[in-house]
Amino acid sequence: MQFANFRNTRFRGFTSRTNIRWCNGLKYLKTDVSSHMITTVPTPQSTIKVMPIDESKNNAEYQITGLTALASFPGSGNTWLRYLLQQATGILTGSVYKDYGLLKTGFPAENVRNNSVLLVKTHEFGPKAWEPFTKVILLVRDPEKAILAEFNRQSGGHIGFAAPDRYKRTKGKYWQQFVLKSLKMWEATNLSWARDFTGSIKVVFYEDLVGNLESTLRGILNFLEFPIDENLLSCTLLRREGVFRRKKRFLNFDPFTASLRAMIREKKLAVYKYLESLK
């Protein structure tokens, strides 16, 4: 299954002056992939410069086997987790997409999908989506919050917001249809990877990232079989917010009706029950 809207080239919410302070210069993993252009990201400059270099010395010495997916329903914190892992390892993360906003603001390995990167972001599911991967980190967020975040992203970019009148478009029918469609996709994305992917799987709940970041990151790095650098991990905890988390905003109305909330709650309980059994 494909989320077609992730393939458009528009980007909002970031500027070329976005300030990202990396704990270490970002590199690709050591790899046998030929003619690969190495990208280095200076730190802590506020303007990110992407420089193609052919010398293999700019690759990290560490090499991993196989390819790991970072799979999630949109709005589940995928970009934030990529940022955290780049901070904690100094290694670039890839994506099956080419999001120009992210490409220019901290993720120069957008659209790289080989084992020169730590893992590869995807919102897709199904046999074709699973095929390249030997492992998956399945990032799961409360569906109500994930759906709201994705609605904001589609209207206001990665860190922006939907205007209040967007919820009331066509007397609320547009929003209601969006919620119902998204809820089905949230369920299908999570259960498809959890039930049918034949490789190794680690389920990560977004709420655990927020509430217990250090322990959750350690678990992820162990799953990736990547050595933990205590200095980089400490730096990551200090810079946990970055620029890739949407700030909180309170609407003066509740966009979710009682019936929508009941449906969301029912799906969440069923999916979480299954996912908890995998932990």
Side-chain angles (χ1 to χ4, degrees):
M1 182 64 194
Q2 294 185 343
F3 288 83
N5 60 312
F6 272 83
R7 302 188 183 279
N8 73 54
T9 58
R10 294 179 303 154
F11 59 93
R12 292 162 291 177
F14 299 120
T15 70
S16 60
R17 299 184 179 222
T18 297
N19 186 13
I20 302 170
R21 297 184 63 213
W22 295 108
C23 296
N24 199 10
L26 301 180
K27 297 181 179 182
Y28 287 98
L29 287 164
K30 184 178 180 182
T31 178
D32 295 328
V33 176
S34 60
S35 67
H36 185 67
M37 297 298 281
I38 306 305
T39 303
T40 60
V41 182
T43 181
Q45 292 179 325
S46 59
T47 301
I48 297 169
K49 296 181 180 179
V50 179
M51 304 170 58
I53 301 175
D54 285 322
E55 300 174 63
S56 61
K57 67 181 180 180
N58 290 282
N59 275 13
E61 288 300 314
Y62 197 74
Q63 186 173 16
I64 58 177
T65 57
L67 189 61
T68 301
L70 175 57
S72 68
F73 173 79
S76 298
N78 199 306
T79 302
W80 183 46
L81 181 51
R82 286 178 68 192
Y83 161 79
L84 291 170
L85 289 172
Q86 288 190 170
Q87 289 285 31
T89 64
I91 303 298
L92 290 161
T93 61
S95 174
V96 302
Y97 312 106
K98 194 168 187 178
D99 185 317
Y100 284 86
L102 297 181
L103 184 70
K104 293 174 180 292
T105 52
F107 298 97
E110 275 290 290
N111 207 224
V112 175
R113 52 186 90 180
N114 57 48
N115 64 356
S116 69
V117 292
L118 187 66
L119 44 69
V120 177
K121 165 186 174 176
T122 183
H123 297 307
E124 317 303 323
F125 60 90
K128 189 175 179 180
W130 306 325
E131 187 178 353
F133 301 106
T134 55
K135 290 182 174 182
V136 62
I137 295 168
L138 181 60
L139 180 59
V140 184
R141 189 178 188 183
D142 180 304
E144 182 179 312
K145 291 177 177 151
I147 290 168
L148 193 58
E150 174 58 6
F151 190 71
N152 281 319
R153 187 199 69 83
Q154 289 192 20
S155 299
H158 281 283
I159 56 176
F161 295 94
D165 60 5
R166 293 278 292 176
Y167 296 92
K168 300 172 183 177
R169 185 175 166 186
T170 61
K171 298 182 179 179
K173 290 181 180 178
Y174 176 81
W175 163 247
Q176 184 176 22
Q177 290 172 355
F178 179 86
V179 172
L180 295 175
K181 180 180 177 181
S182 297
L183 185 58
K184 288 181 181 178
M185 293 297 287
W186 177 88
E187 178 186 33
T189 301
N190 292 311
L191 290 183
S192 176
W193 279 99
R195 288 177 173 169
D196 302 322
F197 179 65
T198 57
S200 301
I201 181 168
K202 180 173 181 60
V203 177
V204 175
F205 290 101
Y206 177 86
E207 293 78 12
D208 291 336
L209 270 180
V210 174
N212 196 357
L213 179 58
E214 181 177 353
S215 176
T216 304
L217 282 179
R218 286 183 183 276
I220 292 170
L221 293 173
N222 286 334
F223 177 75
L224 292 170
E225 299 179 84
F226 194 91
I228 297 174
D229 183 314
E230 296 296 338
N231 290 329
L232 285 182
L233 185 58
S234 296
C235 177
T236 302
L237 297 177
L238 289 173
R239 299 179 182 176
R240 66 178 66 200
E241 291 299 323
V243 297
F244 299 105
R245 288 185 73 193
R246 187 176 284 104
K247 305 302 180 185
K248 288 185 178 180
R249 184 187 68 166
F250 297 97
L251 295 168
N252 59 5
F253 61 93
D254 187 351
F256 294 97
T257 63
S259 60
L260 285 178
R261 273 222 161 85
M263 282 187 279
I264 290 172
R265 190 180 305 112
E266 181 182 358
K267 292 293 185 185
K268 175 185 173 181
L269 289 174
V271 172
Y272 271 43
K273 182 179 180 180
Y274 183 81
L275 295 177
E276 289 283 1
S277 71
L278 301 179
K279 294 183 75 176

